[in-house]
Amino acid sequence: MSGVFANIVWSEIGQACLDTLAMLGGSLVLTILLGLPLGVLLFLTGPGQIWATKLGNGVVALLVNLLRSVPFIILLIVMIPLTVLLVGTSLGVVGAIPPLVVGAAPFFARLVETALREVDRNTIEAVQAMGATTRDLIFRALLPEAMPGIVAGATVTAVALVSFTAMAGVVGAGGLGDLAIRFGYQRFQTDVMVVTVVLLLLLVQLIQYAGDRLVLRVSRR
């Protein structure tokens, strides 16, 4: 067994797992904090909604589409000066979080907008007919009704972030992707590559399972 995993240093694998989880957790929280209001704004400024404005919706949609269209590996490199300005370094877990958030927040915002569009129009009109304010409409009708779709969107975003963290290893972000590139690819250590890929697959499965369970739970309320 030791011959099969001759190149594996389990302490490094453990640290890489912790780094990947730190990148995933930090970036997912910030992605939701930025992407959720951005998705609500996209919905409310869309055609037929209470803040409908062609110019405003067009500007926000253009910004979201531009950020989504940039390949993440290019975004990592382009954002290095801004990342250093924001957090003082472009390396390690801290240096990876800004590009992860910028890459994932527009994606999550579109998923939120899609979930809000699924809310029954009659529900929205009934709440407005009762004299609800915009704040009431958002927090007492739109978000609760769209919660299963938003949770499902957060799950999809978390899975996408796992692949982003692996790519971030190219610029020295640390984590399982960094180990896979430095040892598995550059030094041809197949055992390291296999272990890191298996761990990434397990992480994705756990996220998807937890997300599906959470969607079922909020759907039954």
Side-chain angles (χ1 to χ4, degrees), residues 97-221:
I97 288 179
L100 286 171
V101 174
V102 172
F107 176 69
F108 180 60
R110 280 298 188 192
L111 295 178
V112 171
E113 182 194 18
T114 301
L116 292 173
R117 284 179 177 173
E118 298 295 323
V119 177
D120 190 346
R121 184 71 191 172
N122 292 329
T123 302
I124 297 175
E125 291 175 351
V127 173
Q128 290 177 311
M130 288 187 289
T133 62
T134 303
R135 180 187 177 88
D136 291 334
L137 177 64
I138 294 172
F139 290 101
R140 295 188 179 184
L142 288 176
L143 292 181
E145 290 292 325
M147 192 54 67
I150 293 173
V151 173
T155 304
V156 172
T157 304
V159 171
L161 278 170
V162 172
S163 65
F164 286 177
T165 62
M167 277 190 276
V170 174
V171 294
L176 291 168
D178 183 51
L179 274 189
I181 292 168
R182 284 194 296 121
F183 295 94
Y185 176 66
Q186 294 177 344
R187 300 184 188 180
F188 303 105
Q189 295 178 352
T190 306
D191 51 353
V192 176
M193 180 68 82
V194 169
V195 169
T196 52
V197 169
V198 168
L199 289 172
L200 287 170
L201 290 174
L202 287 174
L203 180 58
V204 168
Q205 294 301 314
L206 286 173
I207 291 170
Q208 190 63 58
Y209 175 77
D212 289 344
R213 299 287 296 177
L214 192 55
V215 169
L216 282 176
R217 187 167 183 174
V218 297
S219 298
R220 290 170 181 164
R221 288 182 177 176

Side-chain angles (χ1 to χ4, degrees), residues 11 34 43 72 77 79 82 98-100 103 161 169 172 192 204 206 216:
S11 60
L34 287 175
F43 175 75
F72 183 68
I77 297 168
M79 276 197 61
L82 179 60
L100 286 171
L161 278 170
V192 176
V204 168
L206 286 173
L216 282 176

